[in-house]
Amino acid sequence: MNREKEIFIDLKERSYKIEIKRGLLEEIGKKIKKIKEYNKIVIITDENVGKFYLDRLTKTLREENFLVYDIIIPAGEKSKNLYEAEKVYNDLALYKITRGDLIITLGGGVVGDLGGFVASTFLRGIDFIQVPTSLLSQIDSSIGGKVAVDLPSGKNMVGSFYQPKGVFIDPELLKTLPTRYLHDGLGETIKCGLIRDKKLFELFENIKGDSEVLERAEEIIFGCCMVKKVMVENDEFDRGDRMILNFGHTIGHSIEKNYNYETYTHGECVSIGMCEITKISEKLGLTPKGTADRIKILLEKFSLPTTTTLSKEKILEGISSDKKNFGNKINLIILKDIGNGEIFKIDSKDLEKYIV
């Protein structure tokens, strides 16, 4: 029986539900009716996802008598910028979108981040709903209200915290995901296990391959969303424990930037970052010996990279502009053990000692 899983994100007046169910895409029109009586809905998607799912989503919305428009952006991280946001703003103005209307982001993390950022700023904020289509966006970027665009100086440098009115996750959409991008999402799912859910990490150690990942998608997505629920409810604005979700990201974002967001996907960079920071924390005696090797073996099982040829100087240069820096302090996320991540604060001037 295809039972729906629900997770309630309790943020007082900004609360919402995450709904997980195979075939949910066809029910979104009815689901939105229960949230609010909108008139116009604008779907923001990219040219790749749109080919598969735009017509199906439009159909379910029009069946509920919504007036539906769409905006299609180029696929890829290079679309997540202020220039592309301005084009979306202009389209919204052309469609005469008001604060009583709704944006739906249909796509992966780029579409969700860009569309959410636009929703948070157009007319000083209009409602939006996330319909994530990649594993990475289903377990991470669609949840928690972080919306942003990139600058040439770094990733997610301009953004806000703006919660969606709902997140609708249909695991069936993963079937059209290229293998590389399924693995890209696994980088972040494995991260969830490493920082807060040892059983989830061990589940991946026992999974035999991609087909089993897809078979157990609801279980995996639910587990990751529960990790993120706790983090977001305890620290909505990312000033405390929620930063633990950034395990692997400090080095990972530097790698992304150094390769101009082209050579590696986000999940691949996080994969490298998790291995590199754990090697360092092991040498410092902060993490049990053998942890980095255990992580490396699992990541490589899913064809994820675990090392970089970038120089220390290049990595440090990328880290220096990271948004997770606080004055002269940098928060590195390390593992006390598998399933137990923590924040390790260092002085910026000492960073070179830790990146080797």
Side-chain angles (χ1 to χ4, degrees), residues 127-142:
D127 290 355
F128 87 111
I129 281 171
Q130 295 265 25
V131 183
T133 60
S134 68
L135 181 58
L136 180 62
S137 58
Q138 288 182 350
I139 61 96
D140 184 54
S141 60
S142 66

Side-chain angles (χ1 to χ4, degrees), residues 325-339:
N325 300 343
F326 289 84
N328 63 349
K329 297 287 185 183
I330 291 179
N331 292 316
L332 296 180
I333 312 305
I334 64 165
L335 299 179
K336 289 184 73 174
D337 206 345
I338 288 175

Side-chain angles (χ1 to χ4, degrees), residues 120-322:
S120 74
T121 48
F122 187 72
L123 301 178
R124 297 191 177 92
I126 66 173
D127 290 355
F128 87 111
I129 281 171
Q130 295 265 25
V131 183
T133 60
S134 68
L135 181 58
L136 180 62
S137 58
Q138 288 182 350
I139 61 96
D140 184 54
S141 60
S142 66
I143 304 152
K146 277 188 177 180
V147 294
V149 293
D150 303 336
L151 294 180
S153 57
K155 188 179 173 80
N156 297 328
M157 295 292 279
V158 179
S160 59
F161 290 91
Y162 193 69
Q163 302 297 340
K165 293 298 178 184
V167 180
F168 298 118
I169 298 174
D170 185 345
E172 285 293 303
L173 307 189
L174 299 178
K175 289 183 176 179
T176 55
L177 205 60
T179 300
R180 183 184 181 189
Y181 289 94
L182 177 67
H183 293 168
D184 172 57
L186 290 177
E188 289 278 7
T189 57
I190 290 167
K191 177 209 74 179
C192 285
L194 284 167
I195 60 170
R196 279 295 180 267
D197 190 341
K198 186 176 181 179
K199 288 183 178 179
L200 182 62
F201 181 83
E202 290 170 345
L203 168 68
F204 280 109
E205 287 186 310
N206 292 320
I207 279 178
K208 293 179 176 60
D210 294 349
S211 60
E212 191 175 348
V213 169
L214 292 173
E215 286 169 13
R216 304 182 74 166
E218 290 102 323
E219 178 185 359
I220 291 166
I221 293 165
F222 184 81
C224 292
C225 289
M226 286 300 294
V227 169
K228 193 147 191 186
K229 165 189 164 68
V230 174
M231 296 283 196
V232 170
E233 289 179 346
N234 290 337
D235 180 22
E236 182 180 359
F237 300 108
D238 203 19
R239 294 285 174 174
D241 282 354
R242 181 172 174 175
M243 285 187 281
I244 293 170
L245 289 164
N246 289 319
F247 177 57
H249 286 60
T250 299
I251 293 173
H253 279 173
S254 179
I255 295 168
E256 280 187 281
K257 182 185 173 187
N258 272 285
Y259 285 102
N260 202 26
Y261 307 104
E262 292 177 338
T263 304
Y264 295 106
T265 66
H266 175 71
E268 288 168 350
C269 289
V270 169
S271 173
I272 296 168
M274 291 190 295
C275 285
E276 295 292 351
I277 197 65
T278 305
K279 287 179 198 172
I280 294 164
S281 62
E282 276 191 27
K283 286 178 182 177
L284 294 170
L286 302 169
T287 304
K289 293 289 184 185
T291 305
D293 284 341
R294 192 174 170 188
I295 295 169
K296 181 175 184 287
I297 290 166
L298 178 56
L299 293 169
E300 289 180 345
K301 180 167 82 168
F302 294 107
S303 305
L304 287 162
T306 56
T307 59
T308 178
T309 57
L310 273 180
S311 68
K312 177 179 177 177
E313 290 71 27
K314 287 286 188 184
I315 291 174
L316 288 169
E317 182 183 333
I319 292 173
S320 67
S321 63
D322 193 272

